[in-house]
């Protein structure tokens, strides 16, 4: 059973971004357009196989499960290791690696860059619109989130100014973690709208109180 983490030169707890960065660097070293050694082909396929397994969350989870189940000597030729190594998952990963090998280095690096850009767009969209922008929030939930948002902004300001920082920072973190609806982050767009909505209601109440006090004077 191959140590895919060692092949890519990343630790077992490496993030997806670290795995992609490691593969990107190894492509520039071992791609046939730049490497002419006799063992370059097998080495590149090995790198591509490792990348395809580790960059996919499902494949990586299964690989980690088998890797952990074999214990400290997981690299030994155990029956479970051989079973995984000959599985359709690995065969598909090697086929994909062969496609990488037969693609020019410029086209391959361009493809990897597009994948990274697409991932950044997905993350940016989720940050702005939330994890599920199709889940509407009732008025009460929006109002409550708006009040929490006002508290969060207040805590951030206090932390930046140094006023009550030991208290404001952990309190602000707790409020930020609660900015979700049905277990999903609502996104900055909804959060901002809720804050302005809550501010509008607070301002309206203040004006109503001032008008009442003026009338009673």
């Amino acid at each position: 059973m191959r140590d895919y983490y060692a092949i890519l030169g990343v630790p077992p707890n490496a993030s997806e971004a670290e795995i992609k960065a490691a593969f990107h660097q190894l492509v520039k070293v071992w791609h046939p357009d730049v490497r002419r050694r006799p063992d370059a082909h097998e080495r590149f396929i090995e790198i591509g196989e490792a990348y395809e397994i580790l960059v996919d969350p499902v494949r990586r989870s299964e690989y980690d499960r088998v890797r952990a189940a074999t214990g400290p000597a997981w690299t030994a030729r155990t029956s479970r290791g051989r079973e995984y190594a000959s599985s359709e998952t690995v065969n598909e990963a090697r086929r994909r690696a062969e496609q990488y090998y037969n693609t020019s280095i410029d086209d391959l690096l361009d493809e990897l860059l597009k994948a990274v850009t697409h991932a950044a767009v997905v993350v940016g969209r989720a940050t702005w619109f939330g994890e599920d922008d199709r889940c509407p929030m009732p008025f009460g939930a929006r109002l409550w989130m708006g009040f929490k948002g006002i508290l969060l902004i207040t805590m951030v300001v206090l932390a930046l100014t140094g006023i009550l920082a030991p208290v404001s920072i952990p309190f602000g973190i707790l409020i930020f973690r609660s900015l979700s609806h049905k277990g999903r982050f609502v996104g900055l767009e909804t959060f901002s709208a809720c804050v302005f909505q809550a501010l509008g209601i607070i301002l309206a109440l203040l004006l109503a109180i001032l008008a009442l006090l003026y009338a009673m004077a």
Side-chain angles (χ1 to χ4, degrees):
M1 184 176 177
R2 295 177 177 177
D3 186 346
Y4 291 138
Y5 293 105
I7 291 172
L8 293 184
V10 297
N13 62 347
S15 65
E16 181 180 339
E18 290 173 323
I19 291 171
K20 289 181 177 180
F23 180 63
H24 187 274
Q25 292 301 317
L26 290 171
V27 164
K28 292 190 288 186
V29 174
W30 288 98
H31 192 276
D33 286 353
V34 295
R35 200 75 168 190
R36 301 299 180 184
R37 282 174 41 173
D39 62 339
H41 175 267
E42 183 55 34
R43 175 62 174 150
F44 186 87
I45 298 303
E46 186 180 56
I47 292 168
E49 176 186 326
Y51 170 74
E52 283 294 309
I53 295 297
L54 298 183
V55 79
D56 183 274
V58 177
R59 292 175 176 175
R60 182 179 183 180
S61 177
E62 173 63 13
Y63 171 74
D64 287 341
R65 183 187 66 78
V66 176
R67 184 175 186 267
T70 56
W74 69 272
T75 54
R77 295 179 59 83
T78 64
S79 59
R80 299 191 67 178
R82 286 197 300 273
E83 177 185 354
Y84 184 84
S86 61
S87 68
E88 180 59 30
T89 298
V90 173
N91 292 335
E92 177 60 31
R94 290 186 69 84
R95 284 194 291 269
R96 182 62 174 161
E98 286 284 358
Q99 293 177 3
Y100 291 149
Y101 184 84
N102 293 319
T103 303
S104 70
I105 188 170
D106 291 335
D107 290 342
L108 180 54
L109 293 178
D110 185 58
E111 179 181 336
L112 294 174
L113 178 60
K114 288 180 180 178
V116 171
T117 303
H118 175 72
V121 170
V122 171
V123 172
R125 177 178 174 80
T127 302
W128 181 250
F129 294 104
E131 295 178 340
D132 189 356
D133 53 4
R134 298 167 298 178
C135 184
M137 294 177 60
F139 177 77
R142 293 178 66 89
L143 190 60
W144 175 236
M145 180 163 290
F147 287 136
K148 289 193 295 182
I150 294 173
L151 284 176
L152 174 61
I153 294 172
T154 302
M155 293 300 103
V156 171
V157 172
L158 290 176
L160 292 177
T161 57
I163 302 174
L164 299 177
V167 177
S168 61
I169 293 177
F171 187 57
I173 293 174
L174 289 175
I175 295 174
F176 179 78
R177 289 179 176 175
S178 67
L179 299 182
S180 60
H181 179 59
K182 294 184 177 181
R184 293 180 174 272
F185 178 62
V186 298
L188 295 180
E189 181 188 46
T190 301
F191 169 69
S192 302
C194 291
V195 169
F196 282 115
Q197 190 175 51
L199 284 173
I201 292 177
I202 292 174
L203 181 59
L205 289 174
L206 289 176
L207 290 176
I209 292 173
L210 289 175
L212 181 60
L213 292 176
Y214 180 79
M216 293 174 60

